[in-house]
Amino acid sequence: LVAVGSSPPPYLRIQQRKRPDGLPAVLRTGTPNRINGHDTYRGTNGSAKTLAWEQDGVSVLLTSDTLPYTELEHVAASMSLQR
């Protein structure tokens, strides 16, 4: 990760934001897939693929210009948020 919003290709960007109201509606698109007990949502940001979910009041967004959704889901499954 170089800096938020300026990652050169190829990249995997991981963003977290505390959101007491949960995952924004704009990121809850399509049919959810369960990973580690949380609904995850596939999306796009330009030509990049995104995977979003909410866990304990924290919204997480993975974005990659090269990884397929299956790999983003593997990354999500391997993550744990620490308080």
Side-chain angles (χ1 to χ4, degrees):
L1 179 65
V2 175
V4 173
S6 66
S7 303
Y11 65 88
L12 169 61
R13 185 179 305 137
I14 302 171
Q15 296 172 285
Q16 302 177 104
R17 180 172 290 171
K18 196 169 197 173
R19 292 188 180 270
D21 296 330
L23 192 64
V26 69
L27 296 176
R28 291 186 309 238
T29 59
T31 303
N33 183 30
R34 297 286 286 178
I35 297 177
N36 293 342
H38 304 281
D39 287 337
T40 61
Y41 298 89
R42 292 177 174 187
T44 58
N45 183 1
S47 62
K49 293 176 178 66
T50 63
L51 187 70
W53 72 95
E54 184 272 333
Q55 180 177 337
D56 302 324
V58 176
S59 294
V60 182
L61 179 65
L62 304 181
T63 307
S64 177
D65 63 338
T66 54
L67 295 177
Y69 286 116
T70 54
E71 289 300 317
L72 289 176
E73 290 165 350
H74 286 296
V75 172
S78 72
M79 293 177 65
S80 65
L81 301 179
Q82 303 295 317
R83 288 186 173 244

